[in-house]
Each structure stands twice: as structure tokens, then as C-alpha cells.
Amino acid sequence: MTQIISKSETPAKKASRFDPIAFFERFGVLIFMFLLLIFFQSQNSIFLTERNIFNILTEVSIYGIIAVGMTFVILTAGIDLSVGSILAVCAMTAAYVIKGDNFTTVDPNAWGGFSWLLRLGICLALGTVIGFLHGLGVTRLRLPPFIVTLGGMTIWRGLTLVINDGAPIAGFDPGYRWWGRGEMLGISIPIWIFAIVAVLGYLALHKTHWGRFVYAIGGNPEAARLAGISFELRVIASVVIGGTSLMGGYGRISGTIIGAIIMGILINGLVLMNVSAYYQQIITGLIIVLAVAFDTYAKNRRGAL
């Protein structure tokens, strides 16, 4: 009788033991963020001032918005190398429609002063069409996401240069600039947009059946094999550092948000310390490699248990 009781207690004792790998897999990115804050504050007293914190969040919001979407892609064991080029071609197309010649020019007073809505609509519509085309390439033609988006990166980057012969477009009306530079309740508009996108992304991923399907797709080892990998984009770095597994099937929107903030803290802190841009790339790359190495180890360990 004593033998039976001791055997039944053994699994419970094992389950109650502290597992440092599981702990750091769940909370490591948050701990790392706080350590970065403490370190950079010790190096420069202005780092944690209100103004600099909002500077970090404003910068983070730009690629953080894209990183939320990238989380869904990487969760399915895919990759998207074209997000920067898509952003550029969408913005340049809308800018050309606003500032272009003849029939393409949009009067700032058109639509009752809401012409900015048309411009934003152009950006969103074009981005949606491009994403749809990439999706068709991956799902219907069964091309590896790496190849589809690598080709897309080159195509859309080239088209961005073609639109205005490589020249910038400037001089927009205040209604359009407000979305990038305006404030509401003392907080910049990009931060508000980032917060809204993050909440919507969290609800879609963690509170819907569709979100569960995303995780299920990521469990496909063949998709993981075909995915390919690139760390050239800050967006991908934010997702990876935030704990989303490049092998698919594991990750959270909250982790992506923290990962994006870590990237912002790291870059801002290194700039305040007058660290060379060359060394910034080296340091950032090392952190990303360590994050992926830990993810690989944790994934293999979960499979062995």
C-alpha cells in the first residue's frame, strides 16, 4: 500500500518543481526588457524621462503595427520579407495620388475636407491586394513563403522607385500629416493606432476559432521546412524576440508588443550612449541569434518531454 501511494505522488512532486527553462520561455522577454531599462537609465539619466519614453513608443508603433500582422504569419511557420517594401509602395502610391499631376491630384478640400480618408483608403486597399496576391502564391501555387515574399520585396521596392523616379514626395496638408504627427490626449496618434491594432490582433488570435486555426497550421512541420528565414527586418526581429517560434505554433501578441518595445529601447538607448550604428547592428544581431537559439532549445525540450 505504501508503495502505491509513493508512486502516485511522484508525478505531482515532479510537476511542482521549478522549471527555469519554462519560466524564462514565458517571462524571459519581460525580464530582459526591464533589465534593458535599468541598464540604459544607469548610462543616461534622460533615458526614462517622459519625453524619451514617448519617443521610444512613437518609433516602436511604426514597426510594431506591422509586427502584429507578422506574428500571424510566423505562427503558421511562414515568413514575410516584403513588409517594408509593401509599406513603401502603398505610401508612395497614396502620396502620388495626392501630389501627382493632372487627374491624379486630390484637392485637400474634396470630400468635405475628408480627402485624407481617400488617401488612407488607397494605402489600405493596395496593401490588401498585394497581400492577397502573396497569399495566392503560397496557398494556390504552393510556393514557399520565403520565395514569394523575397520576390515581392524586390518587385514592390522597384515599383516604389518607378512611381516618382526615385524622388521623394512632400508637402502634404495638415489633415493627412495628423495621422503620423498629430496627438490626442497628449499621446501621438501612431501610438493610439498601435494600441488598437494590438488589441484587435490579440482578440483575433486568442479569442476566436480562426486564431486557433492559425496555431494549428503552425504545427505543420513541412510548412516549417519550406519557410526559410531572414533577420533583416526589424519587424521580424520584434516577433522573434517576443517569443513567437519560427517553427510555428507558439507565440503571443503580447510577446510581440514587448519584443517591439525591446527593439525600440535597445536602439534608443544605444543612440543616447553614442554607440556607432555599425556596433548597433552587431548587438541587435547577437540578441536576435540568442533569442532564436533559446527558442530552438525550448522547442526541442518541449518535444522531448
Side-chain angles (χ1 to χ4, degrees), residues 108-212:
N109 297 317
W111 292 40
F114 286 92
S115 60
W116 55 264
L117 187 60
L118 172 62
R119 303 158 193 174
L120 291 180
I122 292 171
C123 285
L124 295 174
L126 182 57
T128 301
V129 170
I130 292 174
F132 180 74
L133 292 175
H134 287 189
L136 285 179
V138 174
T139 58
R140 298 298 185 185
L141 301 181
R142 299 192 179 280
L143 298 172
F146 180 87
I147 299 301
V148 173
T149 58
L150 179 63
M153 177 181 70
T154 306
I155 293 169
W156 309 124
R157 184 179 294 172
L159 183 58
T160 301
L161 297 173
V162 167
I163 289 173
N164 202 45
D165 294 326
I169 300 177
F172 305 107
D173 63 272
Y176 191 64
R177 294 198 304 269
W178 181 82
W179 290 92
R181 298 182 180 179
E183 292 186 354
M184 185 170 65
L185 301 178
I187 301 174
S188 67
I189 297 303
I191 296 177
W192 284 108
I193 298 174
F194 178 33
I196 293 171
V197 170
V199 170
L200 293 176
Y202 173 83
L203 293 175
L205 185 59
H206 300 292
K207 303 296 181 181
T208 65
H209 290 293
W210 179 78
R212 294 190 186 96

Side-chain angles (χ1 to χ4, degrees), residues 64-130:
I65 292 169
I66 307 173
V68 171
M70 181 68 77
T71 303
F72 290 84
V73 175
I74 294 181
L75 273 173
T76 62
I79 203 76
D80 192 342
L81 306 178
S82 63
V83 288
S85 298
I86 294 175
L87 174 65
V89 74
C90 291
M92 182 61 78
T93 301
Y96 187 77
V97 170
I98 299 166
K99 303 292 292 184
D101 298 325
N102 302 325
F103 69 92
T104 57
T105 304
V106 175
D107 184 355
N109 297 317
W111 292 40
F114 286 92
S115 60
W116 55 264
L117 187 60
L118 172 62
R119 303 158 193 174
L120 291 180
I122 292 171
C123 285
L124 295 174
L126 182 57
T128 301
V129 170
I130 292 174

Side-chain angles (χ1 to χ4, degrees), residues 8 10 24 237:
S8 64
T10 302
F24 282 106

